[in-house]
C-alpha cells in the first residue's frame, strides 16, 4: 500500500474510480481492484479501466452495462474528457491537456517527483553480493551485487528500513589449508603486522589447494588447523582474521568502484563465521521442533514437499557425521537472526538461480520449525547466468572464471577510448572521470536491464553503444538536457513554480511517461525486478527525444512556451537522474 501524493496520477485516478464504484455499486465494490493502467495503444486513450468485466461476473450483470454505470458515476471532469466505453466493457480515459500541464507543474514542484513514502514501512533485510574470503570476486558476484544494491536503494527510497547483509563465505574446512599456507608463505612479523601482500587471492587459493593435494604433511597440518580454528585456538583465529581483513580490503575496492556500499560499522557484513556459535542452537531447536532425524550418522531434516529423483523424501543435511555444519545450517541460523534480532518482516536473498532449491528447503524448514510468523516473507530473488558470445557461461579465453576487477578495468579503458574519440576537447581528468562513470555504468546497466531471471550474453559493443537501451544512451540524454540549460543560460532552479502548458502530442506523451514514475518504482519494489525500471527509463529517454525533435525549446515561439518547455526538460532530467541513482549509476554534466 502506498500513501497518496498530490502528484501521483495513477493513485489519483484509482481513487476516483474507487469512489465511483462505491457510488454505483455500494460499499462492497469499493474493495474491488479498479484495474486501471496506462493504455498500451494511444488509440484507446491514455488510461484504461478494466474493472467492468470482472465486476459483471460478481454482480451477474452485463459488462457493458456495468461499464456504463461506472462511467455515469465517475467524476473525472477536472482531469479527463468524457470516458469512452469500448469493446466488451473497457473504459478509455483521455486526459485533458490543461490537466497534464498542471500535473507536470506539480511534479516539478515535488522533490520526490510524485513518489509518496509507503504508509507501511517495514524492516527489510537484503542479502546480496556475498563473495567468498580468499577468493577474488568474479563475474558471478556482479549480478548479485548490482541487483541487490538496486533493490536495497529502491526499498529505501520508498521509506522502508533496509538492512544490508553481506553473507560472506568466510568459514569452512578450506580455511585449514589457507591458514597453513599463510604460515608457510610469510614471516611471523609480516603476518602479525599485517604488512604482507597476498597479491592475487585466486593464486593464493590455488597454491594452497595444490599443496594440499600433493603434500601429505601439509594436508595433515591443514586438517589439524581446521580443528584448531573450530575450537577457537587463539593464534589460528588471529591468522584467520588476517586473511579475512585482507580479503575485505579487496572487496571494498571493488564495491567502491561499483558505487555499492556496505557499512561494516553498522553490521552489514555478516559472514558465515558470524553464525558459527549459533549452529549448535539451530540443531537443538530443530530437535525440539521434532524435525531432526539421523541418516547414516548425519543429522538431517526432511522439509515437506521435496522428493529426490528416486521419489524418496529429500533430506537436507544440517550436521555431518563428523560433527561439521553446512551451508544450510548457517542459513537456518541466519533466518533466526534476521527475524528475531534484526526484526525483519521481509528477507530478500539475491543469488544465482542454481541456489533455488537450497533456499526453498531452508525456508520450508524454518517455517516448519515455527521460526517465521506468517507475516514474515522470505524471498529468494534468483537471477540467470552471464554468457559469453558463444552462449556458454562467460569465461576467459583460457577457460578461467573472469575476475570482476579485470572486467571493471576493461570497461573503463574501452569507455576511455570511446570518449577520447567522441569528445577530444575534454581534459585528461575529465576524460578519466567520464570513462569511469560511463564504463562502470555500462556494465551495471547491461546487467540490470536484462530480464533478471534470464541468462544474458555479455557484449562490450552492445553495452557501450550510444544507441538503444544502454547506460551511455541514458547518460547522454541527461548530459544533452544539461547542455540545453547552459546554451539557454538559464538555471534550472530559476524555473521553480513555472507553469507548464501541454499542447503538442510529444509533450503529452512525455508528461504521461514521467507521471508513471511512482508506479514504476512501486512495481520494482514488489517484483524486485530492476529491469522494469531500466525499460521505463529507456522509454522515457525515447519520449524525450521525440519531444526535443518536435518541440523547439530554446527557439520556442514565445517566452512562456520556452520556459514551459525548459521546465519539462528539467523535469525529465531529474527523473533520469533519480532513476539511474536507484540503479547505482551516476550522471555527468558533460561527456
Ligand atoms: N557465498 C555464496 C556464494 O558465493 C552466496 C551466499 C548467499 N547468501 C546466503 N545467505 N546463502 O555463492
Amino acid at each position: 500500500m502506498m500513501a497518496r501524493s498530490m502528484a501521483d496520477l495513477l493513485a489519483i485516478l484509482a481513487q476516483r474510480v474507487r469512489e465511483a464504484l462505491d457510488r454505483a455499486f455500494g460499499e462492497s465494490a469499493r474493495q474491488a481492484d479498479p484495474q486501471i493502467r496506462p493504455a498500451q495503444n494511444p488509440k484507446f486513450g491514455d488510461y484504461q479501466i478494466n474493472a467492468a468485466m470482472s465486476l459483471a461476473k460478481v454482480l451477474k450483470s452485463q459488462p457493458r452495462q456495468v461499464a456504463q454505470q461506472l462511467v455515469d458515476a465517475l467524476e473525472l471532469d477536472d482531469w479527463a474528457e468524457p470516458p469512452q466505453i469500448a469493446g466488451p466493457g473497457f473504459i478509455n480515459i483521455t486526459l485533458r491537456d490543461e490537466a497534464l500541464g498542471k500535473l507536470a507543474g506539480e511534479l516539478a514542484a515535488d522533490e520526490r517527483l510524485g513518489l509518496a513514502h509507503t504508509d507501511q514501512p517495514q524492516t527489510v533485510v537484503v542479502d546480496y553480493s556475498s563473495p567468498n574470503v580468499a577468493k577474488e570476486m568474479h563475474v558471478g558476484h556482479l549480478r548479485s551485487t548490482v541487483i541487490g544494491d538496486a533493490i536495497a536503494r529502491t526499498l529505501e527510497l520508498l521509506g522502508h528500513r533496509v538492512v544490508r547483509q553481506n553473507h560472506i563465505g568466510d568459514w569452512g574446512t578450506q580455511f585449514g589449508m589457507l591458514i597453513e599456507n599463510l604460515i608457510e608463505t610469510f614471516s611471523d612479523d609480516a603476518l602479525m603486522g599485517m604488512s604482507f601482500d597476498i597479491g592475487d587471492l585466486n593464486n593464493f587459493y590455488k597454491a594452497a589447494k595444490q599443496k594440499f593435494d600433493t603434500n601429505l604433511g601439509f594436508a595433515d597440518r591443514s586438517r589439524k588447523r581446521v580443528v584448531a580454528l573450530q575450537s577457537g585456538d587463539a593464534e589460528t583465529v588471529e591468522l584467520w582474521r588476517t586473511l579475512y581483513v585482507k580479503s575485505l580490503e579487496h572487496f571494498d575496492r571493488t564495491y567502491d568502484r561499483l558505487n555499492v556500499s556496505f557499512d561494516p560499522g553498522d553490521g552489514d557484513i555478516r559472514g558465515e563465521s558470524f553464525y558459527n556459535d549459533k549452529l549448535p542452537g539451530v540443531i537443538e531447536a530443530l530437535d525440539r521442533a521434532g524435525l531432526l532425524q539421523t541418516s547414516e550418522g548425519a543429522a538431517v531434516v526432511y522439509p515437506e514437499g521435496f522428493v529426490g529423483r528416486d521419489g524418496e523424501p529429500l533430506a537436507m543435511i544440517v550436521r555431518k557425521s563428523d560433527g561439521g555444519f553446512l551451508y544450510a545450517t548457517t542459513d537456518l541460523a541466519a533466518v533466526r537472526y534476521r527475524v528475531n534480532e534484526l526484526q525483519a518482516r521481509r528477507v530478500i536473498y539475491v543469488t544465482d538461480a542454481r541456489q533455488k532449491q537450497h533456499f526453498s528447503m531452508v525456508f520450508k524448514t524454518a517455517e516448519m520449525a515455527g521460526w517465521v510468523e506468517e507475516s514474515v516473507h522470505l524471498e529468494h530473488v534468483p537471477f540467470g547466468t552471464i554468457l559469453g558470445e558463444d552462449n556458454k557461461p562467460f569465461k576467459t579465453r583460457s577457460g578461467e572464471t573472469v575476475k570482476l576487477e579485470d572486467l571493471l578495468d576493461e570497461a573503463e579503458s574501452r569507455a576511455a577510448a570511446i570518449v577520447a574519440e567522441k569528445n577530444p576537447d575534454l581534459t585528461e581528468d575529465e576524460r578519466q572521470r567520464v570513462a569511469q562513470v560511463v564504463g562502470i555504468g555500462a556494465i551495471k546497466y547491461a546487467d540490470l536491464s536484462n530480464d533478471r531471471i534470464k541468462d544474458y550474453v555479455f557484449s562490450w559493443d552492445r553495452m557501450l553503444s550510444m544507441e538503444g537501451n544502454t547506460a551511455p544512451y541514458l547518460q547522454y540524454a541527461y548530459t544533452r538536457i544539461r547542455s540545453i540549460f547552459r546554451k539557454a543560460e538559464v538555471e534550472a532552479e530559476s524555473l521553480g513554480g513555472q507553469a507548464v502548458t501541454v499542447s503538442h502530442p510529444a509533450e503529452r506523451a512525455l508528461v504521461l511517461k514521467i507521471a508513471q514514475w511512482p508506479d514504476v518504482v512501486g512495481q520494482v519494489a514488489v517484483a524486485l525486478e530492476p529491469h522494469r525500471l531500466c525499460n521505463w527509463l529507456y522509454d522515457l529517454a525515447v519520449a524525450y527525444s521525440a519531444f526535443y525533435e518536435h518541440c523547439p525549446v530554446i527557439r520556442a515561439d514565445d517566452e512562456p512556451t520556452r520556459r514551459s518547455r525548459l521546465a519539462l526538460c528539467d523535469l525529465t532530467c531529474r527523473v533520469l537522474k533519480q532513476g539511474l541513482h536507484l540503479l547505482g549509476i551516476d550522471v555527468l554534466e558533460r561527456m
Side-chain angles (χ1 to χ4, degrees), residues 127 130-132 141 167 169 327 331 338 349 351 355 358-359:
D127 174 326
S130 309
N132 303 312
H141 295 115
H167 193 84
Y327 187 53
D331 261 323
R338 291 164 182 185
Y349 296 78
T351 81
Q355 297 199 34
H358 162 75
F359 285 111

Side-chain angles (χ1 to χ4, degrees), residues 19 35 91 115 126 138 156 221 244 259 284 304 329 344 356 377 381 386 422 501 591:
E19 283 162 14
Q35 296 187 45
I91 300 169
L115 181 73
V126 187
H138 56 77
E156 226 154 37
R221 291 195 293 282
Y244 176 87
N259 194 10
E284 279 161 35
E304 269 162 29
T329 327
K356 182 169 190 280
H377 295 281
V381 175
I386 307 183
K422 292 229 158 144
T501 37
M591 63 186 266

Side-chain angles (χ1 to χ4, degrees), residues 59-93:
L59 300 168
K60 300 199 172 36
S61 170
Q62 292 296 328
R64 272 193 82 99
Q65 194 187 327
V66 172
Q68 188 60 56
Q69 285 170 280
L70 182 53
V71 165
D72 291 344
L74 204 53
E75 284 176 11
L76 215 52
D77 285 352
D78 50 341
W79 279 97
E81 308 291 345
Q84 303 293 316
I85 300 173
F90 300 112
I91 300 169
N92 299 337
I93 307 285

